[in-house]
Amino acid sequence: MTFDVEEIRNDFPILKTAMNGKPLVYLDNAATSQKPRQVISAVSRYYKNYNSNIHRGLYKISEEATHGYISSKKSAAKFISANSEREIIYLRNTTEAINLVALTFGEQNVGRGDHILISKMEHHSNIVPWQLLAKRKGAQLDYVELKDDAFLDMEDYAKKLEARPKIVSLTHVSNVLGTINDAGAITKMAHNAGATVLIDGAQSAPHMPVSVKEMDCDFFAFSSHKMLGPAGIGILYAKEGLLEGMQPLYGGGDMIKSVDLYDSTWNDLPWKFEAGTQNIEGAIGFGAAIKYLKKLGMENVRNHEKGLTRYALEKLDGVSGINVYGPGIDRIGERAGVVSFSVSGVHAHDVAQVFDSEGIAIRSGHHCAMPLVTQSLHESALSRMSFYIYNREEEVDKAIAAIMKTKETFHIA
Ligand code: 7TS
């Protein structure tokens, strides 16, 4: 299939709607993506035709639902080049996946005085679980510094690794800066220092080819809702050997092999980590989303977004009174489709309101990355446009016009 934006747009019913009387321009894809009809109808087909619980029913529609759930997992495993679906745990989202690692692997392996290393460009969900773990264990949380060019300070990385952290956790792509980190190189450095590595793929898996095999990370977390699928389902990938050694987090139905009065034994992977009735419709919808993305080709998805980002950065370059964050256009190959900016003298919420009145959805605020936004960038809030497969240059033009309107409204030169 060729990458035809107009054809793609036809698959997204919401893109035919209006917001405040203007055709909807959706530029908040880093928060969540829109859903194509293929995903909507996969979920609806399940409800209409074979709604039932999985694993337990020895009847046809339950077998169909189980098949849908498992084939979704198999395609998720292939999507990130995992060895098999045994390495794929379905959880609610990236946040739950990172928390699960902190509460199981972290709980078992981090002790008093140990170090945990993250970076200054993390989303709160890759900060707070480690703060909690560090506090519980009397461990120390360290941060890799950023450079002015929006990249990690690799010298600082090497220095912080000398403390031989037990866990290194890093975002693959920053949801504020758009910086694409070299997750493979960092994993290698961290492994050499004896660390176990988690990569937060919430902003990478939806937008570019990802291979956990190539990266060689130990854990990889991402969410369905940012990649055309339903909310409430996300993935923790982990190397099988690690999962074998980890205690389950939740106890209950499905995660056991047998239960005695005072003791239980655990089910095989990945079921040991999936207690209770799962988000079956979510998994089925996620499977349809992965199928859609695979058909487009992740290399094409990346190239499309790279083109839009270049176009936006070029257009913004000529606009006075705004600060644009993230890697410069000269390093577009290491920058994802996220463009955060501030308009001098105007609060980000006021910017978003002008955009809203023009039918344009953007995010404004601290983007769940308060240490980055307030301490590293010295801003109280930022506005952010983020692109996906269905966005086009004409929408970037509308966003630029909305910035001009903001400046006019607030008398900014
Ligand atoms: N990690 C990163 C890098 C993210 O961007 C996000 C969500 C998460 C983790 C958490 O994902 P969740 O699915 O568990 O919520 N980022 C954003 C955002 O930038 N705007 O809204 C959510």
Side-chain angles (χ1 to χ4, degrees):
M1 181 181 173
T2 53
F3 197 96
D4 180 337
V5 179
E6 295 315 310
E7 211 174 286
I8 291 170
R9 290 181 69 84
N10 275 332
D11 287 333
F12 290 79
I14 202 168
L15 298 179
K16 302 216 172 4
T17 64
M19 186 165 80
N20 295 321
K22 308 268 170 68
L24 174 66
V25 174
Y26 188 76
L27 298 178
D28 195 16
N29 294 286
T32 199
S33 75
Q34 297 303 341
K35 322 300 173 200
R37 60 185 169 78
Q38 288 83 345
V39 168
I40 299 167
S41 58
V43 174
S44 146
R45 262 199 317 274
Y46 163 73
Y47 280 138
K48 286 184 190 156
N49 301 328
Y50 60 105
N51 178 70
S52 53
N53 213 326
I54 55 172
H55 297 321
R56 40 192 96 174
L58 287 173
Y59 49 88
K60 181 140 195 313
I61 60 169
S62 171
E63 280 163 11
E64 271 178 62
T66 306
H67 174 75
Y69 189 83
I70 291 175
S71 44
S72 159
K73 237 181 219 231
K74 283 188 174 157
S75 45
K78 278 212 189 98
F79 188 72
I80 57 166
S81 301
N83 286 324
S84 80
E85 67 277 16
R86 289 167 61 80
E87 299 182 317
I88 302 291
I89 319 284
Y90 273 171
L91 298 160
R92 275 182 297 166
N93 44 38
T94 307
T95 304
E96 192 180 31
I98 299 174
N99 275 279
L100 186 137
V101 175
L103 288 163
T104 55
F105 182 85
E107 204 64 30
Q108 289 169 245
N109 293 285
V110 174
R112 178 162 292 279
D114 283 344
H115 290 250
I116 300 163
L117 182 56
I118 60 175
S119 87
K120 286 209 170 159
M121 63 165 84
E122 301 308 320
H123 184 277
H124 294 164
S125 53
N126 199 24
I127 299 175
V128 186
W130 307 119
Q131 289 176 343
L132 292 169
L133 175 66
K135 288 210 168 93
R136 281 198 303 276
K137 295 290 184 170
Q140 186 177 322
L141 185 58
D142 300 327
Y143 287 85
V144 174
E145 296 292 333
L146 308 184
K147 292 189 301 179
D148 290 343
D149 61 3
F151 286 93
L152 295 167
D153 182 338
M154 294 310 289
E155 277 174 31
D156 192 48
Y157 226 120
K159 205 169 86 205
K160 301 262 160 71
L161 284 172
E162 285 171 15
R164 299 191 70 79
K166 282 277 158 64
I167 295 173
V168 165
S169 193
L170 174 72
T171 193
H172 198 175
V173 170
S174 162
N175 68 318
V176 175
L177 301 168
T179 310
I180 304 174
N181 290 313
D182 189 343
I186 288 163
T187 299
K188 200 166 177 190
M189 281 168 70
H191 279 166
N192 287 339
T196 297
V197 180
L198 185 151
I199 301 295
D200 171 353
Q203 300 292 353
S204 64
H207 302 285
M208 61 190 68
V210 161
S211 162
V212 289
K213 199 168 280 167
E214 263 173 42
M215 263 188 276
D216 195 34
C217 56
D218 302 293
F219 298 107
F220 187 81
F222 60 110
S223 300
S224 149
H225 70 94
K226 291 188 201 288
M227 47 192 290
L228 311 180
I233 186 152
I235 285 184
L236 173 66
Y237 155 83
K239 285 181 181 161
E240 196 169 329
L242 280 171
L243 288 176
E244 295 285 3
M246 280 157 58
Q247 286 297 311
L249 178 60
Y250 306 117
D254 288 338
M255 53 74 69
I256 50 85
K257 197 157 259 168
S258 71
V259 177
D260 216 335
L261 279 182
Y262 301 104
D263 242 329
S264 305
T265 56
W266 312 139
N267 202 345
D268 297 333
L269 291 176
W271 318 115
K272 173 175 130 183
F273 292 98
E274 295 186 7
T277 297
Q278 297 299 299
N279 184 350
I280 304 161
E281 51 272 61
I284 287 166
F286 192 15
I290 291 172
K291 188 170 168 195
Y292 191 95
L293 285 172
K294 282 191 90 152
K295 206 164 153 196
L296 287 181
M298 291 310 291
E299 203 64 66
N300 296 332
V301 170
R302 166 68 187 137
N303 284 334
H304 172 69
E305 291 175 25
K306 191 161 50 168
L308 280 176
T309 310
R310 181 185 284 117
Y311 184 77
L313 291 177
E314 276 167 3
K315 289 270 164 169
L316 286 166
D317 197 32
V319 182
S320 64
I322 64 163
N323 304 306
V324 180
Y325 291 96
I329 206 159
D330 54 318
R331 295 186 75 175
I332 197 85
E334 296 157 273
R335 195 195 211 287
V338 170
V339 181
S340 293
F341 62 96
S342 63
V343 182
S344 307
V346 185
H347 194 278
H349 291 327
D350 292 328
V351 178
Q353 237 163 33
V354 175
F355 272 67
D356 175 47
S357 70
E358 296 296 314
I360 310 171
I362 57 166
R363 169 122 189 232
S364 69
H366 52 62
H367 306 282
C368 297
M370 284 178 89
L372 169 62
V373 172
T374 61
Q375 292 184 32
S376 300
L377 306 179
H378 309 289
E379 294 266 16
S380 59
L382 292 175
S383 302
R384 179 188 69 188
M385 318 183 230
S386 49
F387 308 125
Y388 212 9
I389 50 175
Y390 34 70
N391 290 123
R392 36 184 189 189
E393 288 182 357
E394 137 195 352
E395 292 177 307
V396 176
D397 292 338
K398 285 185 179 173
I400 305 288
I403 292 176
M404 296 309 191
K405 188 179 167 195
T406 310
K407 287 177 56 180
E408 222 174 273
T409 311
F410 292 90
H411 309 294
I412 305 297

